[in-house]
Amino acid sequence: MSSCEAEYVAAASAACQAVWLRRLLSDMTGAKDSATMIYIDNKSAIQLCKNPVFHDRSKHIEVRYHFIRDCIVSGKIDVEHVSMGEHLADILTKPLARVRFQELRTRLGMVIINGQLSNGDAHRLLDGMPLRKKDESAPRVSGADRIGSLPDHPLHHVLSFLPAHTAVRACVLTRRWHDLWRSTIGLRIVGLDGPNCARDLWVFVDHLLILRERTDLDTVEIKFDHFHGDDDLYLKLRTPFALMCKVRVLTIHLDGPSYHYLDGLPLASRQLRILDLEGVSLGEDFLDFASCPALEDLKMNLCEISVDEISSRSLKHLSITRCYSESGSRVHVSTPGLVSLSLKLDGFSGPIPFLDNMASLESARVHLQDDCEDDCLNYESGVPYGVNNRNNNACENCDHVNDDCSSSLLLLGSISSAKHVELISECGKLMFARYLKHCPTFVKLKTLLLNEYWCEAPDLDPLACVLKDSPVLEKLTLQLFSKGPNHKVEMKGSYSSMERSSAISGHLNIVEVKCNVVDGSILKVLKFLCAFNISKLR
């Protein structure tokens, strides 16, 4: 192999290490640095790196070594020529005269520390070497190992943000870190590199857990973007381990062709505070929170819920987003201490959950989409609820609950104590339509966001009804025929007239209207809100 080929292969190997270190430092600091410089003393090798054309003399080099060319094109790596006499690596590879050795030692930033070496003569030899005059042309390098001298606690905290395999690799950066991975306060099992990485990663985690010290964990995160049924057993083994380590935050996010079952795993932990689930099937054993007295935050996204009841006296924050239920019965949610609720039933198959009254509720976001079973069938003919009853044309879905006040308040009655509410519905949702017959009073409501569903009746009965039953409402936002977040037209108004409709709260001072175009339906709403001086913002 010629010197050009040898330098080219060595540069490719250095580029691989540089890319890995860049990713590691980016994970730790979040910074995106400029290209990493690699110095090469062979100009032919530099031309080979920068020229994408395969010359006759390079076609026999293995394709994997041409990786450095991609790195240069993408801006991750750059190469620069360095003369033979400026190679810092000579101190590691060549026998040098004392003056040259001392010069390179100084440029590397090496310092002599107190302590005895195994070879005392070598120590005295280094001690006796005279210091060379400072070379102004040499790059400044600090001799202090500031990262390595950090206390263990912040280092454990930093390592807990890294995936498990990356955290172990990071511990080779300095000798003092070599065993830090054994006692980190967080464990992240992240497989985002394709369908074949899960099994190898689980094997790595098994070895890591065997060697790890038996210390408590603050967080455990399990994330895979290609998760299959064969991996369910690994998941069921690792989840109890996390609970045994007194984990406070448990995150399980799985993406695969089907839901992954966690049924049969009783959830018992006196330390667990936050539970974040995605892509899993949840049975009664896992959603039994009687043995989790500290649980405060529960998030379920794209999950299959196969229970009749979700109950927790300690829960303060609940989010159910795009979940699925095959059960024919209504899921009963009993969380008397809840402070915030986010219910986005996009793709939810089954009746809308039954919510017990939540006296401590501060904010509620309720979004009902197309797949819920509580539809008002007459909406298909374009006749809004409320008009139906006047024409004695009641919907069969609505009819059996029209005279049952407790049934009609399954949803809105349970959130009537909230101070901040968002109510978004597709046309035909029975839960909101029932509101016109049995209206709870929002005694604490300060801010309210509604969509066009509440403004489609000819006389705006739904909007008038909710405003009348919100006696202390201060701000109303109407998001009409525009899902946002960017709206083409935004209008804002404040109360500025002596005349106010009896349907409008006496405390209502600010109204915002967001839409894409001002047409007849928007003008109808603006006329209803004539007591407000509404002007266009954009």
Side-chain angles (χ1 to χ4, degrees):
M1 180 182 290
S2 69
S3 60
C4 172
E5 296 168 12
E7 294 282 357
Y8 182 72
V9 171
S13 178
C16 293
Q17 296 297 322
V19 169
W20 174 76
L21 286 172
R22 285 170 59 88
R23 290 177 180 173
L24 174 63
L25 294 174
S26 177
D27 288 342
M28 295 176 65
T29 66
K32 300 295 184 181
D33 295 331
S34 57
T36 301
M37 187 67 67
I38 296 179
Y39 295 95
I40 305 175
D41 63 1
N42 189 299
K43 293 183 178 180
S44 298
I46 293 177
Q47 293 300 321
L48 205 56
C49 292
K50 293 186 175 181
N51 192 344
V53 179
F54 279 60
H55 298 286
D56 290 340
R57 62 179 179 175
S58 66
K59 63 183 181 182
H60 62 282
I61 300 177
E62 291 188 32
V63 175
R64 60 181 176 144
Y65 294 119
H66 298 302
F67 167 72
I68 190 173
R69 293 177 175 173
D70 297 332
C71 295
I72 293 175
V73 172
S74 62
K76 298 177 182 177
I77 299 295
D78 200 1
V79 293
E80 185 175 314
H81 181 260
V82 61
S83 63
M84 292 286 292
E86 296 297 322
H87 260 313
L88 294 179
D90 285 351
I91 195 174
L92 304 175
T93 60
K94 298 177 182 179
L96 302 173
R98 188 184 67 167
V99 175
R100 177 64 175 163
F101 180 86
Q102 177 195 347
E103 176 188 356
L104 295 181
R105 185 192 65 175
T106 302
R107 292 179 62 185
L108 283 175
M110 294 181 64
V111 294
I112 299 173
I113 60 175
N114 294 327
Q116 292 187 354
L117 303 178
S118 58
N119 190 334
D121 293 337
H123 190 198
R124 285 191 296 273
L125 176 62
L126 292 174
D127 261 344
M129 287 185 177
L131 294 177
R132 182 178 179 271
K133 187 178 179 180
K134 184 176 180 181
D135 185 357
E136 297 296 337
S137 64
R140 293 186 177 182
V141 182
S142 174
D145 181 8
R146 296 184 179 181
I147 297 180
S149 62
L150 288 174
D152 286 351
H153 180 72
L155 290 175
H156 284 150
H157 188 70
V158 170
L159 290 174
S160 67
F161 286 102
L162 301 178
H165 54 286
T166 305
V168 174
R169 292 175 181 172
C171 289
V172 305
L173 291 178
T174 180
R175 184 180 297 276
R176 197 177 69 81
W177 290 12
H178 282 186
D179 293 325
L180 284 179
W181 59 270
R182 297 175 181 267
S183 53
T184 56
I185 61 175
L187 178 62
R188 295 187 64 209
I189 306 172
V190 181
L192 304 176
D193 298 327
N196 298 322
C197 74
R199 185 62 54 85
D200 293 338
L201 183 56
W202 285 122
V203 173
F204 168 81
V205 171
D206 286 341
H207 286 87
L208 183 145
L209 296 181
I210 292 173
L211 299 173
R212 188 181 182 276
E213 295 178 3
R214 297 298 182 263
T215 55
D216 294 343
L217 289 169
D218 282 346
T219 62
V220 171
E221 181 178 328
I222 302 174
K223 285 187 176 182
F224 286 89
D225 63 353
H226 293 85
F227 201 82
H228 299 279
D230 296 340
D231 300 314
D232 284 349
L233 178 60
Y234 290 97
L235 179 63
K236 290 184 178 181
L237 292 175
R238 298 299 156 248
T239 304
F241 168 81
L243 300 178
M244 290 172 57
C245 292
K246 300 180 180 180
V247 64
R248 295 193 302 169
V249 181
L250 176 60
T251 300
I252 301 177
H253 287 191
L254 307 178
D255 188 7
S258 60
Y259 294 106
H260 302 279
Y261 292 91
L262 291 180
D263 197 12
L265 292 175
L267 198 64
S269 172
R270 302 190 66 84
Q271 290 77 29
L272 185 64
R273 295 180 57 191
I274 300 176
L275 181 60
D276 188 350
L277 305 171
E278 181 176 316
V280 295
S281 179
L282 306 169
E284 293 183 2
D285 292 335
F286 198 84
L287 288 181
D288 182 4
F289 300 123
S291 300
C292 299
L295 184 65
E296 296 182 351
D297 193 336
L298 173 61
K299 300 175 184 177
M300 294 182 288
N301 181 37
L302 293 171
C303 293
E304 181 182 31
I305 302 176
S306 302
V307 298
D308 294 330
E309 182 178 7
I310 299 175
S311 176
S312 173
R313 300 190 65 84
S314 62
L315 202 63
K316 294 183 179 180
H317 310 281
L318 173 63
S319 175
I320 302 177
T321 305
R322 296 183 294 174
C323 290
Y324 175 77
S325 175
E326 289 184 341
S327 174
S329 59
R330 202 178 298 275
V331 178
H332 182 191
V333 180
S334 178
T335 52
L338 204 66
V339 175
S340 69
L341 169 69
S342 177
L343 196 65
K344 186 175 181 180
L345 303 184
D346 182 4
F348 187 89
S349 178
I352 298 172
F354 175 90
L355 306 178
D356 274 351
N357 188 41
M358 304 169 184
S360 303
L361 195 64
E362 294 282 340
S363 63
R365 300 175 66 248
V366 181
H367 292 211
L368 304 185
Q369 304 296 327
D370 292 330
D371 297 326
C372 301
E373 293 183 1
D374 294 304
D375 286 346
C376 177
L377 301 180
N378 282 332
Y379 261 95
E380 297 179 0
S381 61
V383 181
Y385 187 95
V387 177
N388 299 349
N389 288 342
R390 296 189 186 105
N391 297 332
N392 296 319
N393 185 26
C395 162
E396 61 183 61
N397 279 356
C398 304
D399 187 54
H400 70 284
V401 293
N402 274 344
D403 296 325
D404 182 0
C405 181
S406 61
S407 298
S408 68
L409 300 183
L410 293 176
L411 185 59
L412 292 180
S414 63
I415 63 174
S416 59
S417 60
K419 295 181 180 179
H420 312 282
V421 174
E422 290 184 19
L423 299 178
I424 303 296
S425 175
E426 299 291 338
C427 293
K429 294 307 167 205
L430 172 61
M431 282 298 186
F432 289 166
R434 276 187 219 155
Y435 180 84
L436 296 178
K437 187 173 182 64
H438 304 288
C439 300
T441 301
F442 289 86
V443 293
K444 302 178 182 178
L445 188 61
K446 300 290 186 180
T447 64
L448 175 65
L449 186 148
L450 303 174
N451 71 332
E452 64 274 5
Y453 167 81
W454 300 88
C455 305
E456 290 186 338
D459 50 3
L460 299 177
D461 275 356
L463 178 60
C465 187
V466 70
L467 292 179
K468 182 181 66 175
D469 293 308
S470 304
V472 296
L473 183 65
E474 298 176 356
K475 180 180 178 181
L476 171 67
T477 300
L478 299 178
Q479 190 170 293
L480 307 178
F481 306 100
S482 178
K483 295 183 178 181
N486 296 320
H487 309 275
K488 295 182 179 179
V489 179
E490 292 189 11
M491 296 174 282
K492 185 175 181 179
S494 58
Y495 182 67
S496 60
S497 172
M498 296 300 295
E499 297 182 2
R500 180 189 291 265
S501 170
S502 60
I504 299 177
S505 163
H507 294 270
L508 184 60
N509 291 318
I510 299 176
V511 174
E512 293 180 345
V513 179
K514 302 178 181 181
C515 57
N516 287 329
V517 62
V518 179
D519 55 12
S521 58
I522 304 298
L523 291 174
K524 180 179 66 175
V525 176
L526 296 178
K527 184 177 180 180
F528 174 79
L529 299 170
C530 60
F532 293 83
N533 183 22
I534 297 178
S535 59
K536 185 176 179 181
L537 299 179
R538 65 174 183 177

